[in-house]
Amino acid sequence: KYNIVSITGAYCTTPDAGQRVYDLIHPLLSRGQQVELNFLGVKAYASPFFNYGIGQLLKDIPAESLRDLIQFTNISSVGES
């Protein structure tokens, strides 16, 4: 379980912030381990964050597997979409 605000701060907007998340979760997901990303306290999201944090996982892990392995909690509907 990762508290995103403790990794990136309250703003998930930059590629660098996304890369930090990716670097933490990629090894676990590659081994088939489940990961929970808790967005409690995050105030803003932007595409670059998700492109680097989640999007690049798709080069190694099928989308169907990611849906089963990653759980998003306390994320707004904007962040979820």
Side-chain angles (χ1 to χ4, degrees), residues 13-36:
T13 57
T14 66
D16 288 340
Q19 187 67 46
R20 286 194 298 274
V21 172
Y22 172 87
D23 290 342
L24 289 171
I25 66 174
H26 182 261
L28 299 170
L29 295 170
S30 293
R31 292 191 301 264
Q33 293 180 299
Q34 291 186 328
V35 171
E36 179 183 336

Side-chain angles (χ1 to χ4, degrees), residues 14-19 21-22 47-57:
T14 66
D16 288 340
Q19 187 67 46
V21 172
Y22 172 87
S47 292
F49 168 79
F50 287 109
N51 291 342
Y52 278 77
I54 306 300
Q56 58 175 329
L57 293 168

Side-chain angles (χ1 to χ4, degrees), residues 4-81:
I4 298 300
V5 75
S6 67
I7 299 166
T8 66
Y11 298 91
C12 296
T13 57
T14 66
D16 288 340
Q19 187 67 46
R20 286 194 298 274
V21 172
Y22 172 87
D23 290 342
L24 289 171
I25 66 174
H26 182 261
L28 299 170
L29 295 170
S30 293
R31 292 191 301 264
Q33 293 180 299
Q34 291 186 328
V35 171
E36 179 183 336
L37 302 178
N38 184 348
F39 283 82
L40 184 66
V42 173
K43 297 178 191 247
Y45 312 93
S47 292
F49 168 79
F50 287 109
N51 291 342
Y52 278 77
I54 306 300
Q56 58 175 329
L57 293 168
L58 293 169
K59 67 183 177 187
D60 298 325
I61 304 166
E64 304 80 36
S65 296
L66 281 180
R67 283 188 202 101
D68 294 335
L69 294 173
I70 297 179
Q71 179 183 4
F72 298 94
T73 56
N74 297 304
I75 192 167
S76 72
S77 59
V78 172
E80 200 169 305
S81 66

